[in-house]
Amino acid sequence: MSPKERVNILMVDDQPAKLLSYEAILGELDENLVKATSGKEALEYLLKSDVAVVLMDVSMPEIDGFELASMIRQHPRFHRTAIIFISAVHLTDLDRLKGYERGAVDYISVPVIPELLRAKVSAFAELHRKALQLSNLNRQLEQRVAERTQELENKAQALELLNLQLNQKNDQLAAILQTAPDIIFSSRGDGSRDFLSASFFEYTGATPESAMGFGWMNYVHSEDREKIKTHWAQCIQRRQDYEAEYRIRNRTGEYRWFRARAVPLRGEELQSSRWYGTCSDIQDSKLLEQSIRENSTTLEKLVEERTEALRHLSSRLMRMQDEERRRIARELHDSLGQELAAAKMTVDGIVSQSSSASKDQCALEASGSIDRALQQVRTMSHLLHPPLLDEVGLVSALRWYLDGMMKRSGIQTSLDVQPSEFPRLTPQCETAIFRIVQEALTNVFRHSEASQSRVSLARHENNVLVEIRDNGKGMDEGVTKFRPGTVGVGIGGMRQRVEEFGGKLRLSNASPGTVVEVVIPVEHQARERVLATA
Ligand SMILES: Nc1ncnc2c1ncn2[C@@H]1O[C@H](COP(=O)(O)OP(=O)(O)OP(=O)(O)O)[C@@H](O)[C@H]1O
Ligand SMILES: [Mg+2]
């Protein structure tokens, strides 16, 4: 409410002329002047509106001034409303006292002195205005206090909720820290640890006093310590993310690989930064990675070795083919060619011979040459592929071969066969075994310096076992282990043939001599053979 705002001044008098004169006197106060010509009219107005001053005549018909004042005072709203009596009569002190008792605040007698009336009304009007302002202010103040109190209450409630949530988060965090398999840590701005989760202590068996600060580094492998110390210091200096792999000692003294990662929570100053990080066990993945790396290196090496061996074998094979061709050519030229040339010369000589006895002699010589040539052709052809092998089987072919071999080499060679009625195998299997024995005995002849050798052929359950033994000087260890570079096409081919049949080849030294053992599974071959015969 502004100070200029008008207040109501109620003037009560049964004589309208008097009311007009009051109005004239009070007009210049610039307040809201309300006129009532009876006590009733005044009461009606008072019930509806707020009034600052009631100016009333004492003597009025129906309700006089004293009665009206008492009625007004009874109402709580008008306890402090200023009531000024105006009276031309009853001016005794008793009358005044009665007036005050009824609630009058002042008493003016007629003739009214305008300035006096104006000054008094103005003073009470001002008082009322101030009282109104004060109560308004009070109300506003109360309102603000209530608002502020509500605001504070809301804030307190929000704070309480936040506290609750914070406590819950703290509990969750504590549970995570307690149960996380990884080591969780935090460090101060200078890099010293001020927190390590339970898993660190469980793993290392360390006490908190020994691990805090930089003490945890004592559990790091001495080979990794300096490296991570430098790296950690650099990251702290530059305030950049940290990552490192190192070994940590467990409570039994063994080391496992861990990967640590930490990020800085930047403060204004280096010292006010904080670091939070984790340390995870990567031992298993590290081992796996390492074994994969090693395996792939071994595999690469093996492939390289095999490729080299194959290259070696193929070049030897080509050389051998050439040698074989050369040998056959030489055989053809030196023996067969010679025999045929001799036969030709002898036959040509028959023509020039005069006596029939000489002719017969030359014919005999020519026939002998042709016989030898035929024999040589047969031997060469049989060695290239023995026809006995197809006709009467492996055992007979081996016997024939061993006889020839003994004659050619002078090495005493025997053949044991178990059972003596050895069953037939598939042609491929019989050829393979024949070639293996052929190569093994050639090796005995070429390399062993042996005087004796023995070939055993046995059928045991579903396998065929072949063994070629000699009493020679024995093999180099590299050959027995099939080390690349030590074996030639001979043993290489043997091995390949055996593997093609799903079998196994074993070379060993028997002091004295060498043992070549071959195992070939034959059950399915026998079945195939029976089916084929049927
Ligand atoms: N019975 C044996 N006694 C001693 N050493 C042997 C015997 N058999 C093989 N060896 C050794 O094993 C090596 C490899 O034999 P392999 O048959 O693979 O090749 P090679 O006989 O040398 O040549 P080729 O490829 O012509 O057969 C021989 O060079 C020899 O040193
Ligand atoms: Mg050989």
Side-chain angles (χ1 to χ4, degrees):
M1 180 176 148
S2 75
K4 300 245 182 221
E5 203 164 321
R6 290 171 177 175
V7 293
N8 295 327
I9 294 168
L10 178 63
M11 304 172 295
V12 194
D13 203 314
D14 57 323
Q15 294 172 43
K18 279 195 187 165
L19 286 173
L20 280 175
S21 75
Y22 300 151
E23 195 172 30
I25 294 165
L26 302 174
E28 69 185 62
L29 291 180
D30 197 23
E31 303 288 5
N32 193 22
L33 302 175
V34 183
K35 293 178 278 196
T37 51
S38 66
K40 198 168 159 255
E41 199 183 323
L43 279 173
E44 271 168 16
Y45 183 78
L46 278 161
L47 284 174
K48 288 185 294 187
S49 322
D50 179 56
V51 172
V53 186
V54 184
L55 194 68
M56 65 165 86
D57 188 15
V58 174
S59 51
M60 285 185 291
E62 291 171 19
I63 306 167
D64 73 5
F66 293 133
E67 269 176 278
L68 184 59
S70 316
M71 286 161 84
I72 291 171
R73 275 288 178 260
Q74 273 165 21
H75 198 288
R77 197 145 62 84
F78 305 122
H79 269 327
R80 286 202 297 272
T81 306
I83 301 173
I84 301 171
F85 284 126
I86 300 173
S87 183
V89 286
H90 311 300
L91 283 173
T92 63
D93 287 340
L94 221 59
D95 288 335
R96 283 175 190 271
L97 200 63
K98 191 179 167 192
Y100 290 131
E101 272 171 8
R102 301 289 162 93
V105 292
D106 214 339
Y107 218 107
I108 293 174
S109 51
V110 176
V112 172
I113 300 160
E115 290 76 15
L116 190 70
L117 180 62
R118 211 163 30 239
K120 286 191 171 176
V121 169
S122 165
F124 286 118
E126 204 53 44
L127 204 65
H128 186 75
R129 200 170 4 250
K130 291 278 184 239
L132 276 180
Q133 281 176 355
L134 205 66
S135 103
N136 270 347
L137 267 178
N138 252 342
R139 240 192 339 270
Q140 279 174 15
L141 218 61
E142 269 167 24
Q143 170 84 12
R144 277 171 66 186
V145 167
E147 281 170 8
R148 197 92 186 99
T149 311
Q150 186 61 46
E151 216 172 281
L152 284 174
E153 264 171 24
N154 289 348
K155 279 193 177 154
Q157 266 175 15
L159 214 62
E160 212 170 298
L161 194 72
L162 266 179
N163 247 339
L164 199 75
Q165 287 170 347
L166 206 66
N167 282 341
Q168 282 172 351
K169 288 270 177 245
N170 265 343
D171 290 349
Q172 287 169 3
L173 201 67
I176 290 169
L177 287 178
Q178 193 64 32
T179 54
D182 288 352
I183 297 166
I184 298 166
F185 61 84
S186 71
S187 295
R188 301 182 195 92
D190 63 356
S192 59
R193 294 264 194 283
D194 58 359
F195 172 79
L196 276 160
S197 65
S199 41
F200 178 82
F201 302 108
E202 270 163 34
Y203 175 75
T204 56
T207 58
E209 304 78 59
S210 70
M212 289 304 167
F214 291 94
W216 61 276
M217 285 208 182
N218 293 327
Y219 296 87
V220 172
H221 198 291
S222 58
E223 285 173 18
D224 306 331
R225 205 174 297 147
E226 277 313 306
K227 195 177 64 192
I228 64 156
K229 218 182 232 177
T230 317
H231 181 46
W232 179 226
Q234 266 174 6
C235 289
I236 285 171
Q237 195 60 39
R238 295 174 190 159
R239 282 197 259 187
Q240 71 190 23
D241 294 1
Y242 166 78
E243 184 166 342
E245 286 180 9
Y246 48 86
R247 284 159 287 179
I248 304 180
R249 192 176 62 239
N250 71 11
R251 51 174 69 229
T252 60
E254 286 160 10
Y255 285 91
R256 287 177 73 84
W257 280 96
F258 280 77
R259 181 182 292 128
R261 286 199 181 99
V263 288
L265 215 75
R266 288 157 223 274
E268 285 296 305
E269 297 295 314
L270 180 63
Q271 291 307 314
S272 60
S273 300
R274 288 188 57 74
W275 293 75
Y276 293 91
T278 58
C279 208
S280 328
D281 187 327
I282 56 160
Q283 176 77 7
D284 295 340
S285 64
K286 192 103 179 160
L287 286 183
L288 198 70
E289 199 180 289
Q290 203 173 322
S291 96
I292 288 172
R293 211 178 306 123
E294 278 169 10
N295 277 348
S296 80
T297 318
T298 318
L299 219 63
E300 271 170 28
K301 223 170 117 199
L302 211 69
V303 168
E304 254 172 47
E305 282 172 6
R306 280 284 158 94
T307 315
E308 183 54 36
L310 278 175
R311 210 176 293 128
H312 182 67
L313 275 177
S314 86
S315 75
R316 275 200 75 176
L317 201 63
M318 283 197 297
R319 241 188 359 261
M320 276 189 62
Q321 266 183 355
D322 284 347
E323 267 173 31
E324 190 67 4
R325 283 193 191 121
R326 218 172 285 133
R327 193 184 62 78
I328 294 170
R330 206 170 43 236
E331 292 278 311
L332 285 171
H333 176 269
D334 294 353
S335 49
L336 193 60
Q338 297 304 320
E339 292 293 352
L340 287 175
K344 166 100 174 77
M345 276 190 293
T346 318
V347 170
D348 287 350
I350 296 172
V351 183
S352 58
Q353 293 297 325
S354 49
S355 78
S356 69
S358 306
K359 277 187 198 286
D360 286 351
Q361 180 59 33
C362 285
L364 267 176
E365 279 175 26
S367 168
S369 282
I370 291 167
D371 276 349
R372 282 193 297 280
L374 281 172
Q375 183 60 38
Q376 280 164 19
V377 166
R378 198 177 300 117
T379 308
M380 277 170 71
S381 140
H382 284 198
L383 283 175
L384 285 173
H385 183 81
L388 283 175
L389 197 56
D390 296 335
E391 288 158 15
V392 283
L394 178 63
V395 178
S396 305
L398 283 175
R399 278 195 210 292
W400 165 80
Y401 178 71
L402 260 58
D403 283 349
M405 187 68 196
M406 254 194 297
K407 279 183 202 134
R408 284 192 296 276
S409 64
I411 301 170
Q412 200 57 40
T413 308
S414 61
L415 176 68
D416 292 340
V417 180
Q418 286 288 337
S420 50
E421 288 299 309
F422 200 80
R424 297 272 333 237
L425 306 168
T426 59
Q428 295 83 351
C429 187
E430 290 189 335
T431 308
I433 294 173
F434 183 82
R435 292 293 181 215
I436 290 165
V437 174
Q438 200 176 21
E439 173 58 29
L441 287 176
T442 309
N443 277 350
V444 171
F445 173 61
R446 285 172 61 199
H447 310 297
S448 72
E449 298 165 16
S451 59
Q452 285 182 351
S453 65
R454 197 179 76 208
V455 177
S456 327
L457 182 68
R459 177 74 197 252
H460 183 67
E461 290 175 356
N462 296 322
N463 294 318
V464 170
L465 316 175
V466 187
E467 191 186 275
I468 304 100
R469 230 172 232 277
D470 66 64
N471 64 348
K473 63 175 188 181
M475 279 177 173
D476 286 349
E477 204 199 335
V479 182
T480 61
K481 295 200 165 127
F482 304 102
R483 213 165 276 153
T486 60
V487 294
V489 178
I491 291 177
M494 256 191 229
R495 193 178 182 196
Q496 202 176 340
R497 279 182 203 279
V498 172
E499 280 172 1
E500 268 169 23
F501 285 90
K504 281 209 173 74
L505 170 69
R506 206 160 75 92
L507 305 178
S508 55
N509 283 315
S511 50
T514 306
V515 185
V516 176
E517 289 168 284
V518 172
V519 181
I520 294 179
V522 288
E523 191 200 22
H524 63 287
Q525 291 173 18
R527 207 182 305 133
E528 274 167 21
R529 184 88 174 165
V530 168
L531 284 174
T533 322

